[in-house]
Amino acid sequence: MEAVKKIEINKIIKIVFIAIVGTILLTISAKIKIPFYPVPMTMQTFAVLFIGMTCGYKLGVTIVTIYLLEGLMGIPVFANSPEKGVGIVYFTGPTMGYLVGFLLAVFFAGIFKYEKILTTFLKLIFSVSFIYILGLLWLGILIGWEKPLFQIGAQPFLLAELFKILILAFLSPILS
């Protein structure tokens, strides 16, 4: 009986440790900007998909949820925070849809099985699409549907996104 309790405690400690490391990874990935054309690239979507692929959907969603809660509480974990604000003010700004989309992206990235590079690439495209769909929907609500939403909120990032997904697809045999 005591051995079972020890195993359960060790499992909980391991999950908590992975969750902490995951939120740190997301924070670091949001803060690092890589020069890329036409806009600088962060590695945040890469980290979201990576967490889903390596941790699975349950732990992945937990990690992203904790990360979002940290940001909502005012901890400057998001990209461009604290410069552009913190907490609920930042969260409900133009990036809210993208941030909420992280939950669906990590879920799908965590639920899929990865075997071949091409199918992995397609599954990751599907997973990341939720970030952009929710991001553009929120952007439309926030700034108006008459604006060129795709050109503002998706197009500048697609080349960088393709690059990140290709890296993950090629790494997938190691990650799985």
Side-chain angles (χ1 to χ4, degrees):
M1 188 68 160
E2 202 161 304
V4 172
K5 283 183 181 179
K6 189 173 184 177
I7 291 170
E8 288 297 318
I9 290 171
N10 287 342
K11 185 177 178 181
I12 291 169
I13 290 170
K14 180 181 174 184
I15 289 169
V16 168
F17 176 76
I18 292 170
I20 291 169
V21 170
T23 62
I24 291 169
L25 175 66
L26 279 169
T27 301
I28 292 169
S29 71
K31 301 297 182 181
I32 297 173
K33 291 185 175 63
I34 299 167
F36 205 79
Y37 179 83
V39 293
M41 170 178 65
T42 69
M43 294 301 286
Q44 210 164 9
T45 55
F46 180 93
V48 168
L49 297 174
F50 175 83
I51 287 167
M53 292 174 76
T54 56
C55 297
Y57 74 96
K58 289 179 185 175
L59 186 53
V61 168
T62 302
I63 290 168
V64 171
T65 300
I66 293 168
Y67 170 74
L68 295 176
L69 290 173
E70 289 171 346
L72 278 166
M73 291 187 311
I75 301 170
V77 295
F78 299 138
N80 298 318
S81 67
E83 301 88 12
K84 303 269 181 170
V86 292
I88 193 79
V89 172
Y90 180 92
F91 188 79
T92 56
T95 61
M96 184 173 99
Y98 301 95
L99 293 169
V100 172
F102 286 0
L103 290 167
L104 287 171
V106 77
F107 173 80
F108 284 108
I111 210 163
F112 288 133
K113 300 289 181 229
Y114 301 100
E115 292 149 7
K116 297 181 181 175
I117 291 173
L118 179 60
T119 56
T120 296
F121 177 78
L122 295 174
K123 290 172 182 177
L124 292 174
I125 291 283
F126 177 79
S127 299
V128 83
S129 70
F130 290 97
I131 295 171
Y132 288 94
I133 291 168
L134 293 179
L136 292 174
L137 287 172
W138 177 250
L139 208 53
I141 292 167
L142 196 65
I143 68 170
W145 295 102
E146 73 284 353
K147 303 283 192 310
L149 298 174
F150 182 79
Q151 289 78 11
I152 296 169
Q155 189 175 8
F157 308 101
L158 295 182
L159 187 59
E161 205 62 60
L162 177 67
F163 180 68
K164 293 182 271 187
I165 290 172
L166 280 170
I167 292 171
L168 283 168
F170 280 103
L171 287 175
S172 67
I174 300 167
L175 300 176
S176 299

